[in-house]
Amino acid sequence: MAQAHSHSHSHDHGHHDQESLKQFGFWLFMITDVILFATLFATFIVLRDNTASGPVGADLIEMNGIIISTFILLTSSFTSGLALLSMNKGDKRGLILWLAVSALLGLSFIYLEVNEFIHLVHEGAKISTSAYWSAFYTLVGTHGLHVSIGIVWMTAIIIQLAKRGITPVTKRKVNIISLYWHFLDAVWIFVFSLVYLMEVM
Amino acid sequence: MASQNQSHEETGHTHGSLKSYIIGFVLSIILTIIPLVAVLNDLFNRSTTIAVILVTAALQFLVQLIFFMHIREEDKPRYNLISLIFAVLILLTIVIGSIWIMTYNKVAI
């Protein structure tokens, strides 16, 4: 803290290298995460006809819920951007508020997803039903897991912000979580397009 | 030099404005609605619909990158952009390669 104050004149530069290096490290993690999702997408696309005479997505997927969760995640990506803007203005209250809104939207997305999975399992589409459903649950579930981790992480950052305020360190953390949140929205666009839209068309 | 750096910090590193976020949000909504309407109303034939879905998804990914992740505002050297291009290359290789290989696998059956 003291360091941050004494550096307040030039901290943009002194911390810039350290913090932006850490931010770049996180960017590289996301690059590897892209490759993870690439393999899961490839698996799903390749196995989408292997339904073992069982149910397929087109029969069971309820698009209304999917459309709602798509717009929820889209809005939450937007609000995490607003959090970043508040931070750049030095507005701690606004920052915490928008982060909390993003986390809550993420939570409702997960709620809808869990409900959807329960509905699918009740209709007889378990992960063991066919290669199609194994690939489906692995892909969509991995994305859901990422969002769930993001919610816990965001909550931790909110607590840290409330305690320590906006410092170069918390600033970097907010930058990273917001990047992660945009990334999850980008992945969901492809889940929505390649899994859901192509399934029901 | 220092003042130049400072002004660059202010103009180049603000990481977006409210305007850019709103533009990105509106574009994302439009690009979500277009394929949705096309699919739910059966506007096009099968291959056109697939093309519409893929193109709008790719465009929306670009919107996220430019308006939300501010990939254009990166200082040189642009390591973020270079590593992203690498990721896209690997991604396309995995996805298109898998589809290609497994298509012939199906023919064998």
Side-chain angles (χ1 to χ4, degrees), chain A residues 24 27 31 34 42 45-46 49 74-75 77-78 81-82 84-85 88 182-183 185 189 192-194 198 201, chain B residues 14 16 18 21 25 28 36 46 50 53-54 57 60 64 68-69 79-80 83-84 87 91 98-99 102 106:
Chain A
F24 179 59
W27 180 269
I31 296 299
V34 168
I45 293 168
V46 161
D49 295 327
L74 201 59
T75 311
S77 184
F78 175 62
L82 295 182
L84 218 64
L85 288 179
N88 289 341
H182 295 319
F183 164 71
D185 188 34
I189 292 163
F192 175 68
S193 306
L194 296 174
M198 290 210 176
M201 73 180 208
Chain B
T14 45
L18 184 61
Y21 278 107
F25 187 48
S28 300
L36 204 55
R46 196 179 154 79
I50 291 177
I53 292 172
L54 289 179
Q60 203 174 334
Q64 292 269 335
F68 288 175
M69 299 189 191
Y79 293 126
N80 285 23
S83 51
L84 179 75
L91 182 139
S98 302
I99 294 172
M102 294 309 279
K106 270 175 203 160

Side-chain angles (χ1 to χ4, degrees), chain A residues 38-103:
Chain A
T39 61
L40 295 177
F41 273 109
T43 309
F44 178 78
I45 293 168
V46 161
L47 293 176
R48 74 186 324 158
D49 295 327
N50 299 39
T51 54
S53 324
V56 293
D59 308 331
L60 304 180
I61 288 168
E62 284 180 355
M63 272 315 268
N64 285 340
I66 303 302
I67 294 167
I68 293 170
S69 28
T70 301
F71 283 107
I72 285 177
L73 209 62
L74 201 59
T75 311
S76 128
S77 184
F78 175 62
T79 55
S80 78
L82 295 182
L84 218 64
L85 288 179
S86 300
M87 182 179 74
N88 289 341
K89 274 187 275 176
D91 175 8
K92 183 178 147 187
R93 274 177 65 97
L95 168 59
I96 291 178
L97 179 82
W98 286 121
L99 277 185
V101 170
S102 309

Side-chain angles (χ1 to χ4, degrees), chain A residues 29 44 130 141 153 156 164:
Chain A
F29 157 73
F44 178 78
S130 62
W153 184 7
R164 300 181 195 170

Side-chain angles (χ1 to χ4, degrees), chain A residues 44-200:
Chain A
F44 178 78
I45 293 168
V46 161
L47 293 176
R48 74 186 324 158
D49 295 327
N50 299 39
T51 54
S53 324
V56 293
D59 308 331
L60 304 180
I61 288 168
E62 284 180 355
M63 272 315 268
N64 285 340
I66 303 302
I67 294 167
I68 293 170
S69 28
T70 301
F71 283 107
I72 285 177
L73 209 62
L74 201 59
T75 311
S76 128
S77 184
F78 175 62
T79 55
S80 78
L82 295 182
L84 218 64
L85 288 179
S86 300
M87 182 179 74
N88 289 341
K89 274 187 275 176
D91 175 8
K92 183 178 147 187
R93 274 177 65 97
L95 168 59
I96 291 178
L97 179 82
W98 286 121
L99 277 185
V101 170
S102 309
L104 282 175
L105 287 169
L107 206 61
S108 35
F109 173 84
I110 290 297
Y111 172 79
L112 287 174
E113 183 153 282
V114 169
N115 264 0
E116 189 215 358
F117 280 9
I118 291 171
H119 161 78
L120 290 174
V121 169
H122 272 286
E123 298 288 327
K126 288 188 288 243
I127 193 164
S128 55
T129 302
S130 62
Y132 174 96
W133 288 108
S134 306
F136 174 90
Y137 283 118
T138 313
L139 172 57
V140 182
T142 303
H143 177 267
L145 193 65
H146 274 76
V147 176
S148 311
I149 292 169
I151 294 166
V152 175
W153 184 7
M154 213 176 254
T155 315
I157 291 176
I158 291 172
I159 294 169
Q160 223 172 58
L161 280 169
K163 278 186 179 166
R164 300 181 195 170
I166 302 173
T167 69
V169 173
T170 51
K171 220 172 175 169
R172 182 246 307 162
K173 289 181 179 176
V174 174
N175 272 321
I176 286 178
I177 187 78
S178 143
L179 211 54
Y180 182 69
W181 213 242
H182 295 319
F183 164 71
L184 291 184
D185 188 34
V187 173
W188 178 257
I189 292 163
F190 288 97
V191 174
F192 175 68
S193 306
L194 296 174
V195 178
Y196 291 103
L197 281 180
M198 290 210 176
E199 209 47 57
V200 298

Side-chain angles (χ1 to χ4, degrees), chain B residues 16-80:
Chain B
S17 58
L18 184 61
K19 202 178 132 197
S20 84
Y21 278 107
I22 290 174
I23 293 173
F25 187 48
V26 171
L27 283 177
S28 300
I29 289 176
I30 294 170
L31 288 171
T32 306
I33 289 175
I34 291 172
L36 204 55
V37 170
V39 166
L40 294 182
N41 297 325
D42 282 325
L43 288 186
F44 309 110
N45 61 33
R46 196 179 154 79
S47 47
T48 317
T49 310
I50 291 177
V52 167
I53 292 172
L54 289 179
V55 169
T56 50
L59 284 177
Q60 203 174 334
F61 180 57
L62 281 180
V63 166
Q64 292 269 335
L65 276 176
I66 292 169
F67 292 98
F68 288 175
M69 299 189 191
H70 315 293
I71 191 90
R72 282 196 307 185
E73 291 167 28
E74 190 191 354
D75 295 331
K76 283 180 182 174
R78 311 187 66 162
Y79 293 126
N80 285 23

